[in-house]
Amino acid sequence: MKHMPHVSLITVIEIIAILVGAFSGFIEARRKRMDVVGVFTVAFIAAFGGGTLRDILLDRRPLFWVQHQEYAILIFILALIANPLIRTLRQIVSERLIVIADAVGLGLFAVAGVSLALTANMPLFIASMMGVITGIFGGVLRDIVCNEVPMVFRDGKPYAICAFIGCWLYILLQRTNVSDDFALWLSATVITLLRLLTWKFDMRVGRP
Amino acid sequence: MKHMPHVSLITVIEIIAILVGAFSGFIEARRKRMDVVGVFTVAFIAAFGGGTLRDILLDRRPLFWVQHQEYAILIFILALIANPLIRTLRQIVSERLIVIADAVGLGLFAVAGVSLALTANMPLFIASMMGVITGIFGGVLRDIVCNEVPMVFRDGKPYAICAFIGCWLYILLQRTNVSDDFALWLSATVITLLRLLTWKFDMRVGRP
Amino acid sequence: MKHMPHVSLITVIEIIAILVGAFSGFIEARRKRMDVVGVFTVAFIAAFGGGTLRDILLDRRPLFWVQHQEYAILIFILALIANPLIRTLRQIVSERLIVIADAVGLGLFAVAGVSLALTANMPLFIASMMGVITGIFGGVLRDIVCNEVPMVFRDGKPYAICAFIGCWLYILLQRTNVSDDFALWLSATVITLLRLLTWKFDMRVGRP
């Protein structure tokens, strides 16, 4: 274990975050009684839609999933066995674990988004928006394709707001002497913890 | 007043046009009982969606709202007070004023779109389409996110058609000796007046 | 006839494929009781949406319809007479003919998509996805704008799957000594025949 490169941890977390996004697509697509083409497409959009929209807005290429076709192939294979897979997972994985994995994914995606936007010289507020877009638009596009008003816009759960706060923490940390790595991990962790806290206490934001 | 630069007038009109778009998003998002995240996002899409789609199709960067983050911040602040704001506005602003501001915005956005498309060497018909897209797709994307058939595609009001006519007027004026500034203002004014006339007389186009 | 250049055949097939896409938009837009603006826009999206999404993902410009404004103008004119046009076509054209034309279009669009993606050095699985996207996302975007769950995701007909198989045939043929032209035509023909066979025998794929 001593010589295990630290990139492995990131890769493992990345895969988990992508799989959690994809599973939210599997579940939504099955609720809509879609066939295997729909199940794959909706899962793919849920997993990669946020980052793809960010990259189109920033005009970044190649897209993440173009460079990592192994993730697309993984979702493709899982889509073929989505039905037994979801049933099995529901028996062995608690809801708590799914919420935790989802919160970890939110933190990672949002911090990756704000960091890439700052690298592309976006103004600060726009950079924070890019972070939130990366974190939530997978779910937004998934719901639009499934012909639903996006959940994240109406359930009052402070999902986007946790991402927004963490993005600004990262922007502020960038102004200090701390290393970029530390800023990334701290901000992602804060987003994850905020999300878990607001879930634990079932906090809601009101309608404006 | 004498030394007030003429850019101020354009900026004021621009802000009004953007705010009218954003307010249409506030109203639609509240009708759908969205939370503050949804209200902000839908307002942002309604205000900037048309120009953003045009810029993606033309491959223009940076996007307008990326260069002017002050508009994004303004909509963000207004979204936080959208509820009292809309109630107050409904008391002090007549429907007539909203229609006028909206018609001004349609003219400005459409003419900006066709002008940018011609600068990018688009063929004429495509350039006129880009003008109409800039003018109407904010509302189209707003309605799609809100899970509605886009209003502008089904209410029979000649909204896009006014923009289309004005875009062709601009294209024709470009072939004459008049200055570009004059062509821009005249075309935008014609779109606004056409829209107000068709509203005044409640004109409809039929289904094909 | 002897000196007729072979590009004519491709152009004729291309026009037919685009028209079949546009007509699917006319029919869907009329079912939603849209006005002429909606009918044109939905038809345009149905005809060009798949290729446009592919080009945005690949960052290719100019877009196909920007270079060929004659197709946009053609759909525009047809949209103005969509109602009598559809009624007339229903009398003189059998459903069988529409299915055949649609299957030809699927083959052409999908093979064009995978070929362009390989030219842009996409990895193989991503290239096959780009082929399928080109073939089916016109209909997907048409259904989203019309506020429907996309038909191709839920009817269980192996539409996307035929395109997927043909795209992989093209990728495999690229590894052999056959000419690119032959690979393109054979793959497109196989997609069309597979689609017609699965239609003839009313084959369905199950839900995963």
Side-chain angles (χ1 to χ4, degrees):
Chain A
M1 291 292 282
K2 210 171 94 194
H3 295 288
M4 198 175 156
H6 86 290
V7 75
S8 296
L9 177 63
I10 301 184
T11 306
V12 168
I13 295 179
E14 193 176 79
I15 292 177
I16 293 173
I18 289 168
L19 286 183
V20 171
F23 279 113
S24 79
F26 287 156
I27 291 165
E28 184 79 4
R30 281 180 68 244
R31 275 208 321 126
K32 291 283 173 173
R33 307 187 63 73
M34 288 186 177
D35 58 29
V36 66
V37 176
V39 168
F40 169 65
T41 309
V42 171
F44 192 88
I45 289 171
F48 297 116
T52 302
L53 178 58
R54 176 204 62 215
D55 285 351
I56 290 173
L57 293 174
L58 294 179
D59 209 16
R60 288 182 75 243
R61 297 292 188 295
L63 302 169
F64 176 79
W65 48 271
V66 165
Q67 279 189 299
H68 296 275
Q69 68 168 339
E70 61 273 17
Y71 292 130
I73 295 170
L74 179 62
I75 295 178
F76 180 75
I77 292 167
L78 294 179
L80 297 175
I81 54 165
N83 210 357
L85 191 69
I86 290 172
R87 245 186 288 119
T88 311
L89 281 172
R90 282 212 170 125
Q91 282 163 2
I92 61 174
V93 179
S94 66
E95 201 215 322
R96 178 193 299 263
L97 203 62
I98 293 173
V99 171
I100 291 172
D102 182 59
V104 170
L106 179 66
L108 283 177
F109 280 162
V111 169
V114 67
S115 162
L116 286 169
L118 289 178
T119 307
N121 290 313
M122 295 290 115
L124 300 185
F125 188 79
I126 302 300
S128 72
M129 279 178 59
M130 291 291 174
V132 178
I133 286 172
T134 311
I136 72 170
F137 258 77
V140 170
L141 294 173
R142 174 200 65 207
D143 293 348
I144 290 174
V145 171
C146 290
N147 205 19
E148 298 278 350
V149 177
M151 182 62 76
V152 74
F153 291 162
R154 67 190 161 118
D155 64 1
K157 292 177 189 162
Y159 197 82
I161 293 169
C162 297
F164 187 70
I165 293 171
C167 287
W168 277 100
L169 174 62
Y170 178 75
I171 291 170
L172 293 177
L173 287 173
Q174 285 283 83
R175 318 258 122 181
T176 67
N177 285 329
V178 304
S179 76
D180 192 46
D181 258 22
F182 178 78
L184 284 169
W185 283 106
L186 182 61
S187 309
T189 307
V190 165
I191 292 173
T192 301
L193 291 179
L194 277 177
R195 174 70 192 108
L196 291 177
L197 272 174
T198 58
W199 172 71
K200 178 85 181 166
F201 296 105
D202 199 22
M203 288 163 68
R204 302 290 164 116
V205 288
R207 296 200 190 86
Chain B
M1 292 294 282
K2 211 170 92 191
H3 295 289
M4 198 174 158
H6 86 289
V7 75
S8 295
L9 176 62
I10 300 184
T11 307
V12 167
I13 294 178
E14 192 176 80
I15 292 177
I16 292 174
I18 289 167
L19 286 182
V20 171
F23 279 113
S24 79
F26 287 157
I27 290 165
E28 184 78 5
R30 282 179 69 244
R31 274 207 323 125
K32 290 284 174 171
R33 306 188 63 74
M34 287 187 178
D35 58 29
V36 66
V37 176
V39 167
F40 169 65
T41 309
V42 171
F44 192 88
I45 288 170
F48 297 116
T52 301
L53 177 58
R54 176 204 62 216
D55 285 350
I56 290 172
L57 293 174
L58 294 180
D59 209 15
R60 288 181 76 241
R61 298 291 189 293
L63 302 169
F64 176 81
W65 48 272
V66 165
Q67 279 188 300
H68 295 277
Q69 68 167 339
E70 61 272 17
Y71 293 130
I73 295 170
L74 178 62
I75 294 177
F76 180 75
I77 293 168
L78 294 179
L80 297 176
I81 55 165
N83 209 358
L85 190 70
I86 290 172
R87 245 185 289 118
T88 311
L89 281 173
R90 282 210 169 128
Q91 281 161 2
I92 62 174
V93 179
S94 65
E95 199 216 321
R96 177 193 299 263
L97 202 63
I98 293 174
V99 171
I100 292 172
D102 182 59
V104 170
L106 179 66
L108 284 177
F109 280 162
V111 169
V114 66
S115 162
L116 286 168
L118 289 178
T119 306
N121 290 315
M122 294 291 116
L124 301 185
F125 188 79
I126 302 300
S128 72
M129 279 179 60
M130 292 292 175
V132 178
I133 286 172
T134 311
I136 73 169
F137 257 79
V140 170
L141 294 173
R142 174 200 66 207
D143 292 347
I144 290 173
V145 171
C146 289
N147 205 20
E148 299 277 351
V149 177
M151 182 63 74
V152 74
F153 291 161
R154 64 188 162 121
D155 65 1
K157 292 176 189 163
Y159 197 82
I161 294 169
C162 296
F164 187 70
I165 293 171
C167 288
W168 277 100
L169 174 62
Y170 177 76
I171 290 170
L172 292 177
L173 287 173
Q174 286 282 85
R175 317 257 122 181
T176 67
N177 284 329
V178 304
S179 76
D180 191 48
D181 258 23
F182 178 78
L184 283 168
W185 283 106
L186 181 62
S187 309
T189 307
V190 164
I191 292 173
T192 301
L193 291 179
L194 277 177
R195 173 70 192 109
L196 291 177
L197 273 174
T198 57
W199 172 71
K200 179 84 180 169
F201 295 105
D202 199 22
M203 287 161 71
R204 303 288 164 116
V205 287
R207 298 199 189 87
Chain C
M1 288 294 282
K2 210 171 93 193
H3 294 289
M4 198 175 157
H6 86 289
V7 73
S8 295
L9 176 64
I10 301 185
T11 306
V12 167
I13 294 178
E14 192 176 81
I15 292 177
I16 292 173
I18 289 168
L19 286 183
V20 171
F23 280 112
S24 79
F26 288 156
I27 290 165
E28 183 79 5
R30 282 180 68 243
R31 273 206 325 125
K32 291 284 173 172
R33 306 187 63 73
M34 288 187 176
D35 58 30
V36 66
V37 176
V39 168
F40 169 66
T41 309
V42 171
F44 192 87
I45 289 171
F48 296 117
T52 302
L53 177 59
R54 177 204 61 215
D55 284 351
I56 290 172
L57 293 174
L58 294 180
D59 210 15
R60 287 182 77 242
R61 297 292 188 294
L63 303 169
F64 176 80
W65 47 272
V66 164
Q67 279 189 300
H68 295 276
Q69 68 167 339
E70 61 273 17
Y71 293 130
I73 295 170
L74 178 62
I75 294 177
F76 180 76
I77 293 167
L78 294 180
L80 297 176
I81 54 165
N83 210 357
L85 190 69
I86 290 171
R87 244 184 291 119
T88 311
L89 281 173
R90 283 210 169 127
Q91 282 161 2
I92 61 174
V93 179
S94 66
E95 202 216 320
R96 176 192 299 263
L97 202 63
I98 293 173
V99 171
I100 292 172
D102 182 59
V104 170
L106 179 67
L108 283 177
F109 280 162
V111 169
V114 67
S115 161
L116 287 168
L118 289 178
T119 307
N121 290 314
M122 294 292 114
L124 300 185
F125 188 79
I126 303 300
S128 73
M129 279 179 59
M130 291 292 174
V132 178
I133 287 172
T134 310
I136 73 170
F137 258 77
V140 170
L141 294 173
R142 174 201 66 207
D143 292 348
I144 290 174
V145 171
C146 289
N147 204 20
E148 299 279 350
V149 177
M151 181 63 74
V152 74
F153 292 162
R154 65 189 160 120
D155 64 1
K157 292 178 189 161
Y159 198 82
I161 293 170
C162 296
F164 187 70
I165 292 170
C167 288
W168 277 101
L169 174 62
Y170 178 75
I171 291 170
L172 292 177
L173 287 173
Q174 286 282 86
R175 318 256 122 181
T176 67
N177 285 328
V178 305
S179 76
D180 192 47
D181 258 23
F182 178 78
L184 283 168
W185 284 106
L186 181 62
S187 309
T189 307
V190 165
I191 293 173
T192 301
L193 290 179
L194 277 177
R195 174 69 193 110
L196 291 177
L197 273 174
T198 59
W199 171 70
K200 179 83 180 169
F201 296 105
D202 198 23
M203 288 162 69
R204 303 289 163 117
V205 288
R207 296 198 191 88

